[in-house]
Amino acid sequence: MDKIKTILIPFDFTQASKKALEYAAGFVGRLDDIKIVLAYVSGNCNLELLPENFERLEKEYEGILKNKLEWEIQDGKLIETLIKIRKKDKIDLIIMGTSGKDKKEIKEHTNTAHLVLKGKCPVLVIPHDCQDYKLTNIALVIGREEIDDTKKLGTLLMIARKCNAKVHVLTIENQPGIYGYSKEEEKNENAIEYYLETFYKERVFIKNDDVIDGINTYAIKNDIDVVAILPRNQTMRSEPTEGELTQMLILNSKVPILVLE
């Protein structure tokens, strides 16, 4: 895949899904030949299938996008249905809005977190309180482990190239030890330089026991528009993680999260 051709947005007419569509429209722009598919999974909400609702939305965006909005209207469980649509329509990127969670519910899996962990596709998560579309600075968060599949960085390159965005590579030092000098980290550096080309801006290490706080603080101070993560970033010899960091970021991030899969 050398460019993003098709974007899937789970859409149920809620504010979260409308925010995701607004962001996608800003990302695609008026001239790009990128198709946006809206997936309405009726088993996930009680909204009646009123034709005027769909027609009104299509009319709203017909002067904003080059291509007409397309629809996938299906019954079924949300995540399983979205995964089927992704495979059938050869989706390159999923953009999904999130409504946020109460602190008491922070340990619960949201639909967004489930899709991120099961979808096997890059997902861009748009927080409910995200401001207007802007994408000029991206922070790629990595740990000390060797990146298991460096080809995933290709998606990040496509987005950076399309938006002419600079990529900051960030590691949070939350454990004892010396950072930045291991063989694994050297391999990561070489891969990042190779894949990100001239869009690679800087390498940053920040000490913070709280990874989420470290990421959010850096994002705010450095005007970061998107935080990119590799949820299965571990050595080839280790077991896959349960995605705790991914879930926590989705629930607590102040900026959109790009999950590279």
Side-chain angles (χ1 to χ4, degrees):
M1 180 177 67
D2 58 352
K3 64 176 294 187
I4 295 172
K5 299 177 181 177
T6 308
I7 294 173
L8 175 67
I9 302 175
F11 197 88
D12 58 3
F13 293 92
T14 60
Q15 285 302 117
S17 63
K18 289 179 180 178
K19 175 68 73 174
L21 177 54
E22 290 173 6
Y23 193 96
F27 174 77
V28 171
R30 179 68 182 87
L31 302 177
D32 274 11
D33 189 23
I34 298 177
K35 180 171 64 175
I36 295 180
V37 178
L38 302 179
Y40 179 92
V41 183
S42 60
N44 186 53
C45 63
N46 298 319
L47 180 71
E48 295 182 13
L49 293 175
L50 299 175
E52 55 264 35
N53 287 336
F54 298 92
E55 294 168 1
R56 188 182 304 112
L57 195 69
E58 291 171 3
K59 188 172 183 180
E60 179 182 347
Y61 281 90
E62 66 182 6
I64 298 175
L65 300 168
K66 180 177 181 178
N67 296 321
K68 183 179 179 181
L69 294 174
E70 297 188 14
W71 291 91
E72 283 281 358
I73 302 174
Q74 297 190 21
D75 292 319
K77 294 183 178 179
L78 180 63
I79 304 306
E80 288 80 356
T81 303
L82 291 174
I83 291 173
K84 290 178 182 178
I85 294 172
R86 178 193 67 77
K87 294 177 180 178
K88 180 177 72 69
D89 292 350
K90 298 180 180 179
I91 300 298
D92 300 315
L93 174 67
I94 298 173
I95 298 182
M96 189 169 187
T98 178
S99 298
K101 298 288 287 183
D102 186 273
K103 290 183 178 180
K104 294 180 180 179
E105 303 172 294
I106 201 167
K107 293 183 179 180
E108 296 181 8
H109 292 279
T110 64
N111 283 330
T112 308
H114 276 303
L115 179 62
V116 162
L117 297 173
K118 296 181 180 180
K120 304 294 184 182
C121 174
V123 179
L124 183 56
V125 182
I126 311 302
H128 69 288
D129 54 355
C130 177
Q131 301 302 312
D132 294 338
Y133 167 79
K134 178 172 170 282
L135 216 171
T136 55
N137 287 291
I138 301 171
L140 170 63
V141 179
I142 62 173
R144 303 167 74 179
E145 306 86 356
E146 182 178 348
I147 298 174
D148 64 330
D149 185 359
T150 56
K151 292 181 180 179
K152 295 176 183 178
L153 296 173
T155 299
L156 182 57
L157 172 61
M158 284 188 291
I159 291 174
R161 184 183 289 155
K162 181 186 183 307
C163 304
N164 194 29
K166 294 299 182 181
V167 180
H168 310 235
V169 180
L170 172 65
T171 295
I172 305 299
E173 298 183 14
N174 66 321
Q175 296 177 350
I178 299 175
Y179 285 71
Y181 296 96
S182 68
K183 291 182 179 179
E184 292 80 8
E185 289 170 298
E186 183 178 351
K187 288 182 180 179
N188 288 345
E189 184 69 17
N190 291 335
I192 289 167
E193 288 181 350
Y194 172 78
Y195 275 98
L196 297 185
E197 303 172 350
T198 59
F199 300 99
Y200 180 15
K201 181 174 183 178
E202 63 179 349
R203 185 76 172 90
V204 183
F205 295 84
I206 294 178
K207 291 185 178 181
N208 195 320
D209 293 337
D210 186 329
V211 175
I212 305 299
D213 179 68
I215 294 171
N216 281 332
T217 300
Y218 180 83
I220 293 170
K221 287 184 177 181
N222 293 275
D223 199 24
I224 297 298
D225 304 306
V226 168
V227 170
I229 59 173
L230 294 151
R232 305 179 204 283
N233 180 16
Q234 70 281 325
T235 63
M236 300 300 290
R237 299 179 297 278
S238 64
E239 294 296 325
T241 69
E242 294 298 323
E244 292 91 347
L245 176 60
T246 302
Q247 296 169 47
M248 292 294 286
L249 270 174
I250 288 172
L251 291 167
N252 295 281
S253 178
K254 306 301 182 184
V255 300
I257 298 294
L258 173 63
V259 184
L260 298 169
E261 274 289 2

